[in-house]
């Protein structure tokens, strides 16, 4: 998004746009000049300004180029190019015709005033592919002027057949829907673009890059963001497992871009990394916790070399705290400090505490608790992704934090949201059977005997500074357990921060406050 540079796709489109028009200057339809003098001056001004804006914008953003790292978006680019092909076919038909006004303004493949409509459609969809609100707005200006003038000429010069009332109603309804969609896309991408521009305004040595890096035989997705590439590096380890949320992290990350180069990573078996390696490992048979730790080590080595750093800061959330804690014990020489948000200690003990809190509230409210108690017993006897989800369906309504999670809103309005993120969140990782089926090794590990007592499992003797941030009302990884673990550990420096009223994602619930804590840790 907003990567300045030369767009060869834009150049190709402009050639496809202007070359037929140059040929047309010597093949104008009879009586065309008579229609020109009748053109609406306002529409003409919009057309001319739109042409200039679209031409410039099409050439200066590399986001319009083919990007194999965004394979799921390529069909959008293909649709845009299809509209341009239709535009060329329209011209071929016109040049072979008798070149009358009727030929010039006739529809092609059902699209009215095809000579104006197809390029507008093509460049608008190109703007969607590049997630560029400037292009969408410029094309809208062009479309109002260019298509408006063509419609005006058509009505003046060509006898138009009057359709029956139902057809006229449908056409007007379609026009309204089209206008609403145009406004929606401009507003939606406008919000995303403004967020991105605001984050990097005035930066002198910024980095904003989505890429895949080779980690132990897989190309894995990372996003690198920072206003100064020489800043200390933070590596964010997402939760889940298999719940990458790098597209949402800007909500607090933007407050820290002056202080850090911030890197998010879709772990093996998750999100964009999964889709990149789906053919080779469709069921994620290589994705176990030891492999993820090895991948993390390779990622840290890559980062240190690329950015000239000796150490990095780890920032783990939920499941990511398991990786952060274990890696910090394994490789303290590579870690500047470790920040854990929503520290996992024991899912078993944590959900027992969540049950006890929910039970008290349910009894106080006079609600029935038999099913909740039965769900707890089932979970304790056979802990799994399915039984914990069943238990939380009963305890969750009683354990809501004061500040509800805003992940969906942050994700929907994210400057970094891609089709693969949507696909993963709402298709592949939304269904429990699919989620478990794709990453059974990781989920079996989460509920294994090994993970029942995190204090014994991790160890307590850390050689790096350890910092913990928890939401006061976190009942996914209860704050009481995290505090107990914090009291047991030794580290060169340690601190525990509790954010009032927040649940399991305090960095999203109160992003500014969480960022201030992180910045304070650095100082």
């Amino acid at each position: 998004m907003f990567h300045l540079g030369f767009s060869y796709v834009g150049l190709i489109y402009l050639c496809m746009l202007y070359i037929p028009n140059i040929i047309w200057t010597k093949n104008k339809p009879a009586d065309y000049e008579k229609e020109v003098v009748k053109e609406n001056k306002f529409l003409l001004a919009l057309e001319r300004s739109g042409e200039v804006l679209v031409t410039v914008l099409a050439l200066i953003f590399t986001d319009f180029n083919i990007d194999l790292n965004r394979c799921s978006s390529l069909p959008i680019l293909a649709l845009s190019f299809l509209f341009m092909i239709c535009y060329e076919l329209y011209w071929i038909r016109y040049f072979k015709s008798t070149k009358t006004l009727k030929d010039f303004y006739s529809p092609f493949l059902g699209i009215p005033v095809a000579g104006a409509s197809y390029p507008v459609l093509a460049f608008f969809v190109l703007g969607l592919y590049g997630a560029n609100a400037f292009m969408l707005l410029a094309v809208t200006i062009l479309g109002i002027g260019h298509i408006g003038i063509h419609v005006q000429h058509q009505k003046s010069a060509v006898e138009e057949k009057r359709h029956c009332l139902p057809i006229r109603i449908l056409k007007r309804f379609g026009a309204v829907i089209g206008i609403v969609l145009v406004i929606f896309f401009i507003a939606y991408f406008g919000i995303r673009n403004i967020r991105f521009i605001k984050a990097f305004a005035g930066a002198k040595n910024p980095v904003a890059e989505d890429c895949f890096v080779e980690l132990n035989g897989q190309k894995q997705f990372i996003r690198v963001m920072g206003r100064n590439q020489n800043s200390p590096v933070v590596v964010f380890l997402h939760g889940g497992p298999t719940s990458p949320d790098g597209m949402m992290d800007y909500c607090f990350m933007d407050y820290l871009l002056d202080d850090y180069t911030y890197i998010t990573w879709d772990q093996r078996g998750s999100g964009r990394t999964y889709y990149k390696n789906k053919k080779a490992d469709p069921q994620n048979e290589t994705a176990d916790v030891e492999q993820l730790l090895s991948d993390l080590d390779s990622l840290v080595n890559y980062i240190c070399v690329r950015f000239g750093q000796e150490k990095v800061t780890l920032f783990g959330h939920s499941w990511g705290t398991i990786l952060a804690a274990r890696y910090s014990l394994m490789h303290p020489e590579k870690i500047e400090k470790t920040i854990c948000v929503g520290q996992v200690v024991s899912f078993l003990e944590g959900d027992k505490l969540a049950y006890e809190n929910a039970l008290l509230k349910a009894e106080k409210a006079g609600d029935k608790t038999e099913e909740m108690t039965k769900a707890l017993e089932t979970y304790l006897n056979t802990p799994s992704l399915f039984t914990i989800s069943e238990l939380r369906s009963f305890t969750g309504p009683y354990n809501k934090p004061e500040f509800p999670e805003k992940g969906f809103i942050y994700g929907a309005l994210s400057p970094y949201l891609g089709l693969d993120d949507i696909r993963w969140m709402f298709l592949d990782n939304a269904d429990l059977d699919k989620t478990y089926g794709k990453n059974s090794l990781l989920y079996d590990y989460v509920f294994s005997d090994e993970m029942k007592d995190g204090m014994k499992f991790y160890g307590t003797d850390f050689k790096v500074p350890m910092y913990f941030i928890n939401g006061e009302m976190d009942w996914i990884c209860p704050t009481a357990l995290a505090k107990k673990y914090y009291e047991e550990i030794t580290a060169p420096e340690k601190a525990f921060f509790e954010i009032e009223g927040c649940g399991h994602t305090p960095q999203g619930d109160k992003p500014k406050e969480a960022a201030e804590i992180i910045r304070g840790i650095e100082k």
Side-chain angles (χ1 to χ4, degrees):
M1 177 182 291
F2 285 155
H3 295 95
L4 290 172
F6 175 67
S7 172
Y8 59 83
V9 168
L11 178 62
I12 292 170
Y13 275 46
L14 292 174
C15 289
M16 295 175 73
L17 177 67
Y18 286 120
I19 289 175
N21 278 274
I22 293 171
I23 298 173
W24 170 80
T25 58
K26 296 184 178 180
N27 294 272
K28 295 179 181 179
D31 299 326
Y32 176 78
E33 297 301 333
K34 294 180 181 179
E35 298 301 321
V36 171
V37 297
K38 304 176 185 177
E39 289 178 352
N40 182 288
K41 302 303 180 184
F42 176 70
L43 292 179
L44 183 61
L46 291 178
E47 180 187 50
R48 294 292 183 261
S49 58
E51 287 172 345
V52 173
L53 289 171
V54 169
T55 299
V56 173
L57 293 172
L59 293 173
I60 65 173
F61 289 108
T62 61
D63 304 281
F64 301 133
N65 290 337
I66 297 172
D67 185 355
L68 298 180
N69 290 334
R70 294 190 291 150
C71 290
S72 61
S73 296
L74 292 179
I76 300 177
L77 179 61
L79 176 63
S80 173
F81 189 67
L82 178 62
F83 285 137
M84 286 306 295
I85 292 296
C86 290
Y87 180 63
E88 303 305 307
L89 293 175
Y90 154 80
W91 278 115
I92 290 173
R93 188 192 67 175
Y94 170 75
F95 290 137
K96 289 185 175 181
S97 70
T98 54
K99 301 183 182 65
T100 64
L101 286 172
K102 184 176 180 180
D103 295 324
F104 186 55
Y105 294 115
S106 64
F108 182 70
L109 297 178
I111 300 297
V113 286
S117 300
Y118 274 117
V120 168
L121 287 171
F123 279 94
F124 192 86
V125 177
L126 185 65
L128 295 178
Y129 169 74
N132 192 303
F134 294 135
M135 176 62 84
L136 297 178
L137 183 58
V139 174
T140 301
I141 293 171
L142 172 65
I144 294 172
H146 194 47
I147 295 176
I149 287 174
H150 273 237
V151 170
Q152 182 186 35
H153 286 187
Q154 181 193 47
K155 289 181 177 180
S156 174
V158 180
E159 183 178 349
E160 187 177 12
K161 181 182 177 181
R162 183 173 176 81
H163 295 288
C164 62
L165 180 61
I167 297 298
R168 296 202 304 273
I169 293 174
L170 284 175
K171 287 177 68 175
R172 286 175 173 77
F173 180 74
V176 170
I177 295 297
I179 292 170
V180 170
L181 287 175
V182 168
I183 293 172
F184 168 77
F185 283 122
I186 292 175
Y188 173 66
F189 285 108
I191 292 171
R192 292 178 57 175
N193 293 170
I194 288 170
R195 289 183 184 276
F196 187 87
I197 293 170
K198 185 178 178 181
F200 291 93
K204 295 182 179 179
N205 187 27
V207 57
E209 177 185 334
D210 289 357
C211 62
F212 287 86
V213 296
E214 187 80 22
L215 303 177
N216 299 319
Q218 276 198 0
K219 291 184 177 180
Q220 300 191 24
F221 177 78
I222 65 170
R223 174 172 292 119
V224 186
M225 309 295 292
R227 289 169 59 85
N228 184 349
Q229 297 186 48
N230 298 322
S231 299
V233 175
V234 173
V235 180
F236 182 80
L237 306 175
H238 66 70
T242 74
S243 296
D245 51 7
M247 80 295 293
M248 305 174 192
D249 293 338
Y250 71 92
C251 65
F252 71 95
M253 176 188 71
D254 284 356
Y255 294 108
L256 298 168
L257 293 182
D258 282 325
D259 305 286
Y260 295 105
T261 296
Y262 193 92
I263 296 176
T264 66
W265 166 44
D266 285 14
Q267 299 158 22
R268 183 181 292 250
S270 302
R272 300 191 190 192
T273 295
Y274 170 73
Y275 294 123
K276 191 72 170 180
N277 301 279
K278 183 177 179 180
K279 289 183 179 179
D281 191 9
Q283 295 304 122
N284 293 317
E285 294 176 4
T286 64
D288 59 31
V289 69
E290 301 303 328
Q291 182 62 65
L292 263 62
L293 288 167
S294 179
D295 291 347
L296 176 56
D297 189 46
S298 295
L299 178 60
V300 169
N301 292 338
Y302 164 82
I303 291 167
C304 288
V305 171
R306 174 174 173 179
F307 293 99
Q309 305 275 342
E310 294 184 1
K311 299 180 179 182
V312 302
T313 293
L314 291 185
F315 187 121
H317 174 238
S318 193
W319 156 263
T321 65
I322 297 176
L323 301 179
R326 287 197 59 184
Y327 188 83
S328 298
L329 289 165
M330 294 166 61
H331 297 285
E333 74 282 359
K334 300 180 183 181
I335 303 302
E336 185 69 33
K337 57 184 172 293
T338 297
I339 302 170
C340 294
V341 180
Q343 176 67 51
V344 175
V345 179
S346 168
F347 281 112
L348 197 68
E349 295 302 317
D351 278 277
K352 284 169 65 177
L353 288 177
Y355 162 80
E356 291 168 3
N357 186 68
L359 183 65
L360 288 174
K361 291 183 177 180
E363 290 176 342
K364 186 176 181 179
D367 297 338
K368 293 181 179 180
T369 60
E370 292 81 3
E371 287 185 302
M372 187 193 303
T373 301
K374 184 178 179 181
L376 174 69
E377 293 171 354
T378 303
Y379 170 61
L380 294 178
N381 290 328
T382 55
S384 71
L385 175 63
F386 302 97
T387 56
I388 197 174
S389 298
E390 178 70 13
L391 175 60
R392 288 178 179 177
S393 71
F394 292 108
T395 61
Y398 296 102
N399 291 331
K400 291 181 179 180
E402 180 181 341
F403 294 92
E405 294 187 5
K406 303 174 184 176
F408 178 81
I409 296 174
Y410 286 134
L413 299 178
S414 170
Y416 313 107
L417 181 68
L419 291 179
D420 277 341
D421 302 316
I422 297 172
R423 181 181 172 192
W424 181 258
M425 285 190 297
F426 293 104
L427 295 178
D428 286 303
N429 209 42
D431 179 88
L432 287 184
D433 290 320
K434 288 184 178 180
T435 300
Y436 178 76
K438 284 188 171 64
N439 275 286
S440 58
L441 295 176
L442 293 177
Y443 283 102
D444 287 345
Y445 172 80
V446 166
F447 300 104
S448 65
D449 291 338
E450 187 178 13
M451 277 298 300
K452 283 185 178 179
D453 189 345
M455 293 187 195
K456 293 179 181 177
F457 164 66
Y458 293 124
T460 57
D461 184 18
F462 288 88
K463 305 300 182 185
V464 303
M466 297 291 293
Y467 304 96
F468 299 84
I469 304 173
N470 257 68
E472 175 201 11
M473 305 176 72
D474 185 352
W475 291 104
I476 302 297
C477 296
T479 301
L481 281 184
K483 282 183 177 178
K484 189 175 179 181
Y485 179 62
Y486 164 77
E487 291 167 357
E488 294 289 328
I489 71 167
T490 59
E493 184 177 326
K494 67 175 187 175
F496 193 98
F497 303 91
E498 189 173 328
I499 302 183
E500 185 178 354
C502 293
H504 191 49
T505 56
Q507 75 275 27
D509 302 338
K510 290 187 176 180
K512 191 172 183 179
E513 185 171 336
E516 288 173 354
I517 290 173
I518 297 167
R519 189 180 294 111
I521 290 171
E522 174 66 21
K523 295 177 181 178

